[in-house]
């Protein structure tokens, strides 16, 4: 009888050990699945970051991001090249320091409106000064950057140098005005 009881205890002990081993193996599999998922997610994030890095590097238009205080946090090489600054010179600089006071105030008002209305500003003319003091006009599209909870943390924009186009438009307008004036003079004679 004693042996029967001992066998029952041993059998029960083995069942318990198997259940414990099954639980441990189940936990190990869960951990391994989580590790695999985490690794896949990290790879996907790395791939996405590389895509964005290449995109920002290769586009010809200026790209920038500004924090809520107005400091550049990201600039691409097209923006740096167009303005004559290195990225280390622009990162941390207030965006309105690249403009005159009047344009700076207009830009600050546009950004405040953007923040309040939560809309993209399409084709805003931004006048800036290159490092050498030369004036450049950018046609820019600016939008809000938000955290996942909806809190605005900054702004991003893409701009294209339209300086030459604006100069040509001004010349064309002046020529049209001159022609109208000369036509009036001829008609008055």
């Amino acid at each position: 009888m004693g042996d029967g009881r001992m066998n029952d205890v041993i059998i029960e002990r083995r069942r318990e050990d198997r259940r414990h081993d099954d639980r441990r193996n189940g936990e190990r599999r869960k951990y391994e699945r989580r590790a695999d998922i985490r690794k896949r997610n990290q790879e996907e994030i790395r791939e996405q970051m590389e895509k964005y890095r290449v995109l920002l590097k290769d586009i010809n238009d200026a790209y920038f991001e500004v924090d809520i205080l107005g400091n550049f946090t990201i600039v691409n090489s097209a923006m740096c090249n167009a303005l004559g600054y290195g990225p280390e010179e622009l990162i941390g600089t207030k965006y309105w320091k690249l403009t005159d006071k009047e344009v700076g105030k207009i830009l600050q008002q546009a950004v405040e409106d953007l923040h309040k209305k939560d809309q993209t500003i399409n084709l805003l003319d931004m006048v800036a000064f290159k490092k050498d003091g030369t004036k450049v006009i950018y046609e820019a599209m600016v939008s809000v950057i938000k955290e996942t909870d909806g809190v605005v943390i900054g702004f991003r924009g893409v701009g294209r140098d339209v300086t030459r186009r604006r100069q040509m438009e001004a010349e064309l307008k002046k020529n049209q005005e001159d022609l109208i004036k000369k036509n009036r003079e001829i008609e008055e004679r």
Side-chain angles (χ1 to χ4, degrees), residues 27 51 67 88-89 92 95 109 121 137-138 147 154 171:
E27 291 297 319
K51 284 179 187 177
D67 65 20
E88 67 283 348
E89 294 174 285
Y95 68 86
Q109 185 60 52
I121 295 176
I137 303 169
Y138 275 94
E147 290 276 346
E171 287 177 33

Side-chain angles (χ1 to χ4, degrees), residues 67-82:
D67 65 20
I68 200 72
L69 300 174
N71 300 303
F72 284 110
T73 57
I74 296 176
V75 293
N76 70 347
S77 57
M79 182 167 176
C80 293
N81 294 338

Side-chain angles (χ1 to χ4, degrees), residues 36-73:
D36 287 345
I37 290 169
R38 190 171 28 257
K39 186 176 179 180
R40 263 194 317 266
N41 288 343
Q42 288 172 343
E43 286 176 27
E44 288 175 16
I45 289 170
R46 208 175 1 265
E47 287 173 11
Q48 290 295 325
M49 299 260 309
E50 180 61 16
K51 284 179 187 177
Y52 289 124
R53 187 191 68 74
V54 168
L55 175 67
L56 289 178
K57 180 178 162 258
D58 290 349
I59 62 172
N60 293 323
D61 293 336
Y63 178 86
F64 59 90
E65 290 185 9
V66 177
D67 65 20
I68 200 72
L69 300 174
N71 300 303
F72 284 110
T73 57

